[in-house]
PDB file of all heavy atoms in Angstrom:
ATOM      1  N   PRO S  11     224.120  62.286  95.634  1.00  0.00           N
ATOM      2  CA  PRO S  11     225.324  61.637  96.152  1.00  0.00           C
ATOM      3  C   PRO S  11     225.053  60.611  97.255  1.00  0.00           C
ATOM      4  O   PRO S  11     225.860  59.708  97.456  1.00  0.00           O
ATOM      5  CB  PRO S  11     226.162  62.795  96.691  1.00  0.00           C
ATOM      6  CG  PRO S  11     225.203  63.905  96.916  1.00  0.00           C
ATOM      7  CD  PRO S  11     224.082  63.708  95.939  1.00  0.00           C
ATOM      8  N   ILE S  12     223.919  60.703  97.914  1.00  0.00           N
ATOM      9  CA  ILE S  12     223.616  59.765  98.997  1.00  0.00           C
ATOM     10  C   ILE S  12     222.811  58.572  98.485  1.00  0.00           C
ATOM     11  O   ILE S  12     223.217  57.424  98.646  1.00  0.00           O
ATOM     12  CB  ILE S  12     222.883  60.489 100.149  1.00  0.00           C
ATOM     13  CG1 ILE S  12     223.821  61.544 100.737  1.00  0.00           C
ATOM     14  CG2 ILE S  12     222.432  59.490 101.223  1.00  0.00           C
ATOM     15  CD1 ILE S  12     223.195  62.482 101.707  1.00  0.00           C
ATOM     16  N   SER S  13     221.680  58.846  97.852  1.00  0.00           N
ATOM     17  CA  SER S  13     220.816  57.745  97.396  1.00  0.00           C
ATOM     18  C   SER S  13     221.266  57.149  96.067  1.00  0.00           C
ATOM     19  O   SER S  13     220.843  56.058  95.703  1.00  0.00           O
ATOM     20  CB  SER S  13     219.374  58.232  97.247  1.00  0.00           C
ATOM     21  OG  SER S  13     219.260  59.134  96.152  1.00  0.00           O
ATOM     22  N   LYS S  14     222.095  57.890  95.330  1.00  0.00           N
ATOM     23  CA  LYS S  14     222.588  57.491  94.007  1.00  0.00           C
ATOM     24  C   LYS S  14     221.495  57.490  92.939  1.00  0.00           C
ATOM     25  O   LYS S  14     221.714  57.020  91.826  1.00  0.00           O
ATOM     26  CB  LYS S  14     223.285  56.122  94.031  1.00  0.00           C
ATOM     27  CG  LYS S  14     224.451  56.039  94.995  1.00  0.00           C
ATOM     28  CD  LYS S  14     225.539  56.989  94.627  1.00  0.00           C
ATOM     29  CE  LYS S  14     226.725  56.815  95.563  1.00  0.00           C
ATOM     30  NZ  LYS S  14     227.644  57.909  95.504  1.00  0.00           N
ATOM     31  N   THR S  15     220.305  58.005  93.265  1.00  0.00           N
ATOM     32  CA  THR S  15     219.269  58.090  92.241  1.00  0.00           C
ATOM     33  C   THR S  15     219.629  59.203  91.256  1.00  0.00           C
ATOM     34  O   THR S  15     220.354  60.139  91.594  1.00  0.00           O
ATOM     35  CB  THR S  15     217.878  58.380  92.848  1.00  0.00           C
ATOM     36  OG1 THR S  15     217.931  59.599  93.578  1.00  0.00           O
ATOM     37  CG2 THR S  15     217.427  57.234  93.732  1.00  0.00           C
ATOM     38  N   ILE S  16     219.120  59.048  90.042  1.00  0.00           N
ATOM     39  CA  ILE S  16     219.409  60.035  89.011  1.00  0.00           C
ATOM     40  C   ILE S  16     218.125  60.710  88.560  1.00  0.00           C
ATOM     41  O   ILE S  16     217.026  60.174  88.721  1.00  0.00           O
ATOM     42  CB  ILE S  16     220.138  59.416  87.794  1.00  0.00           C
ATOM     43  CG1 ILE S  16     219.270  58.375  87.082  1.00  0.00           C
ATOM     44  CG2 ILE S  16     221.472  58.823  88.204  1.00  0.00           C
ATOM     45  CD1 ILE S  16     219.843  57.867  85.777  1.00  0.00           C
ATOM     46  N   ARG S  17     218.293  61.887  88.001  1.00  0.00           N
ATOM     47  CA  ARG S  17     217.199  62.638  87.392  1.00  0.00           C
ATOM     48  C   ARG S  17     217.780  63.303  86.157  1.00  0.00           C
ATOM     49  O   ARG S  17     218.830  63.938  86.213  1.00  0.00           O
ATOM     50  CB  ARG S  17     216.664  63.689  88.353  1.00  0.00           C
ATOM     51  CG  ARG S  17     215.472  64.455  87.800  1.00  0.00           C
ATOM     52  CD  ARG S  17     214.880  65.425  88.824  1.00  0.00           C
ATOM     53  NE  ARG S  17     215.850  66.376  89.333  1.00  0.00           N
ATOM     54  CZ  ARG S  17     216.188  67.526  88.737  1.00  0.00           C
ATOM     55  NH1 ARG S  17     215.648  67.857  87.572  1.00  0.00           N
ATOM     56  NH2 ARG S  17     217.060  68.340  89.283  1.00  0.00           N
ATOM     57  N   PHE S  18     217.104  63.134  85.042  1.00  0.00           N
ATOM     58  CA  PHE S  18     217.613  63.683  83.788  1.00  0.00           C
ATOM     59  C   PHE S  18     217.399  65.186  83.712  1.00  0.00           C
ATOM     60  O   PHE S  18     216.384  65.704  84.143  1.00  0.00           O
ATOM     61  CB  PHE S  18     216.962  62.994  82.586  1.00  0.00           C
ATOM     62  CG  PHE S  18     217.504  61.624  82.356  1.00  0.00           C
ATOM     63  CD1 PHE S  18     216.962  60.530  83.002  1.00  0.00           C
ATOM     64  CD2 PHE S  18     218.599  61.430  81.539  1.00  0.00           C
ATOM     65  CE1 PHE S  18     217.485  59.270  82.824  1.00  0.00           C
ATOM     66  CE2 PHE S  18     219.131  60.171  81.348  1.00  0.00           C
ATOM     67  CZ  PHE S  18     218.569  59.088  81.994  1.00  0.00           C
ATOM     68  N   THR S  19     218.388  65.859  83.141  1.00  0.00           N
ATOM     69  CA  THR S  19     218.277  67.287  82.876  1.00  0.00           C
ATOM     70  C   THR S  19     217.414  67.472  81.632  1.00  0.00           C
ATOM     71  O   THR S  19     217.105  66.506  80.920  1.00  0.00           O
ATOM     72  CB  THR S  19     219.661  67.900  82.607  1.00  0.00           C
ATOM     73  OG1 THR S  19     220.198  67.290  81.418  1.00  0.00           O
ATOM     74  CG2 THR S  19     220.619  67.699  83.776  1.00  0.00           C
ATOM     75  N   GLN S  20     217.058  68.696  81.346  1.00  0.00           N
ATOM     76  CA  GLN S  20     216.294  68.975  80.124  1.00  0.00           C
ATOM     77  C   GLN S  20     217.088  68.515  78.903  1.00  0.00           C
ATOM     78  O   GLN S  20     216.529  67.964  77.960  1.00  0.00           O
ATOM     79  CB  GLN S  20     215.950  70.460  80.027  1.00  0.00           C
ATOM     80  CG  GLN S  20     215.018  70.782  78.885  1.00  0.00           C
ATOM     81  CD  GLN S  20     213.687  70.056  78.993  1.00  0.00           C
ATOM     82  OE1 GLN S  20     213.132  69.889  80.075  1.00  0.00           O
ATOM     83  NE2 GLN S  20     213.170  69.605  77.859  1.00  0.00           N
ATOM     84  N   SER S  21     218.390  68.707  78.944  1.00  0.00           N
ATOM     85  CA  SER S  21     219.257  68.261  77.850  1.00  0.00           C
ATOM     86  C   SER S  21     219.192  66.746  77.678  1.00  0.00           C
ATOM     87  O   SER S  21     219.117  66.233  76.558  1.00  0.00           O
ATOM     88  CB  SER S  21     220.697  68.647  78.172  1.00  0.00           C
ATOM     89  OG  SER S  21     221.268  69.366  77.157  1.00  0.00           O
ATOM     90  N   GLY S  22     219.230  66.020  78.769  1.00  0.00           N
ATOM     91  CA  GLY S  22     219.143  64.562  78.722  1.00  0.00           C
ATOM     92  C   GLY S  22     217.809  64.097  78.188  1.00  0.00           C
ATOM     93  O   GLY S  22     217.726  63.160  77.386  1.00  0.00           O
ATOM     94  N   ILE S  23     216.743  64.770  78.614  1.00  0.00           N
ATOM     95  CA  ILE S  23     215.402  64.430  78.138  1.00  0.00           C
ATOM     96  C   ILE S  23     215.304  64.690  76.636  1.00  0.00           C
ATOM     97  O   ILE S  23     214.770  63.864  75.893  1.00  0.00           O
ATOM     98  CB  ILE S  23     214.332  65.220  78.916  1.00  0.00           C
ATOM     99  CG1 ILE S  23     214.278  64.728  80.368  1.00  0.00           C
ATOM    100  CG2 ILE S  23     212.968  65.092  78.246  1.00  0.00           C
ATOM    101  CD1 ILE S  23     213.471  65.599  81.302  1.00  0.00           C
ATOM    102  N   GLU S  24     215.855  65.801  76.193  1.00  0.00           N
ATOM    103  CA  GLU S  24     215.820  66.119  74.759  1.00  0.00           C
ATOM    104  C   GLU S  24     216.632  65.121  73.948  1.00  0.00           C
ATOM    105  O   GLU S  24     216.234  64.741  72.840  1.00  0.00           O
ATOM    106  CB  GLU S  24     216.334  67.533  74.528  1.00  0.00           C
ATOM    107  CG  GLU S  24     215.381  68.603  75.006  1.00  0.00           C
ATOM    108  CD  GLU S  24     215.986  70.005  75.020  1.00  0.00           C
ATOM    109  OE1 GLU S  24     217.149  70.184  74.578  1.00  0.00           O
ATOM    110  OE2 GLU S  24     215.296  70.918  75.497  1.00  0.00           O
ATOM    111  N   GLN S  25     217.761  64.679  74.479  1.00  0.00           N
ATOM    112  CA  GLN S  25     218.619  63.767  73.734  1.00  0.00           C
ATOM    113  C   GLN S  25     218.100  62.331  73.723  1.00  0.00           C
ATOM    114  O   GLN S  25     218.205  61.636  72.725  1.00  0.00           O
ATOM    115  CB  GLN S  25     220.038  63.776  74.296  1.00  0.00           C
ATOM    116  CG  GLN S  25     220.982  62.913  73.495  1.00  0.00           C
ATOM    117  CD  GLN S  25     222.435  63.183  73.798  1.00  0.00           C
ATOM    118  OE1 GLN S  25     222.792  64.177  74.421  1.00  0.00           O
ATOM    119  NE2 GLN S  25     223.292  62.296  73.354  1.00  0.00           N
ATOM    120  N   TYR S  26     217.534  61.878  74.845  1.00  0.00           N
ATOM    121  CA  TYR S  26     217.164  60.470  74.969  1.00  0.00           C
ATOM    122  C   TYR S  26     215.672  60.189  75.122  1.00  0.00           C
ATOM    123  O   TYR S  26     215.247  59.045  74.940  1.00  0.00           O
ATOM    124  CB  TYR S  26     217.879  59.841  76.171  1.00  0.00           C
ATOM    125  CG  TYR S  26     219.346  59.648  75.961  1.00  0.00           C
ATOM    126  CD1 TYR S  26     220.270  60.455  76.611  1.00  0.00           C
ATOM    127  CD2 TYR S  26     219.819  58.644  75.124  1.00  0.00           C
ATOM    128  CE1 TYR S  26     221.633  60.269  76.429  1.00  0.00           C
ATOM    129  CE2 TYR S  26     221.168  58.453  74.937  1.00  0.00           C
ATOM    130  CZ  TYR S  26     222.076  59.271  75.594  1.00  0.00           C
ATOM    131  OH  TYR S  26     223.410  59.085  75.409  1.00  0.00           O
ATOM    132  N   GLY S  27     214.872  61.173  75.464  1.00  0.00           N
ATOM    133  CA  GLY S  27     213.463  60.931  75.759  1.00  0.00           C
ATOM    134  C   GLY S  27     212.708  60.183  74.680  1.00  0.00           C
ATOM    135  O   GLY S  27     212.070  59.159  74.938  1.00  0.00           O
ATOM    136  N   GLU S  28     212.789  60.664  73.459  1.00  0.00           N
ATOM    137  CA  GLU S  28     212.063  60.016  72.354  1.00  0.00           C
ATOM    138  C   GLU S  28     212.649  58.646  72.031  1.00  0.00           C
ATOM    139  O   GLU S  28     211.911  57.678  71.822  1.00  0.00           O
ATOM    140  CB  GLU S  28     212.095  60.909  71.116  1.00  0.00           C
ATOM    141  CG  GLU S  28     211.257  60.372  69.980  1.00  0.00           C
ATOM    142  CD  GLU S  28     211.233  61.298  68.773  1.00  0.00           C
ATOM    143  OE1 GLU S  28     211.426  62.514  68.928  1.00  0.00           O
ATOM    144  OE2 GLU S  28     211.026  60.769  67.665  1.00  0.00           O
ATOM    145  N   LYS S  29     213.969  58.550  72.018  1.00  0.00           N
ATOM    146  CA  LYS S  29     214.622  57.263  71.719  1.00  0.00           C
ATOM    147  C   LYS S  29     214.220  56.200  72.727  1.00  0.00           C
ATOM    148  O   LYS S  29     213.924  55.065  72.357  1.00  0.00           O
ATOM    149  CB  LYS S  29     216.145  57.428  71.736  1.00  0.00           C
ATOM    150  CG  LYS S  29     216.689  58.257  70.612  1.00  0.00           C
ATOM    151  CD  LYS S  29     218.191  58.429  70.764  1.00  0.00           C
ATOM    152  CE  LYS S  29     218.731  59.362  69.709  1.00  0.00           C
ATOM    153  NZ  LYS S  29     220.160  59.555  69.803  1.00  0.00           N
TER     154      LYS S  29
END
Side-chain angles (χ1 to χ4, degrees):
I12 296 170
S13 69
K14 303 297 184 196
T15 58
I16 63 172
R17 183 175 56 84
F18 285 87
T19 63
Q20 187 60 38
S21 234
I23 291 168
E24 289 169 4
Q25 184 165 346
Y26 288 107
E28 186 177 334
K29 291 177 185 180

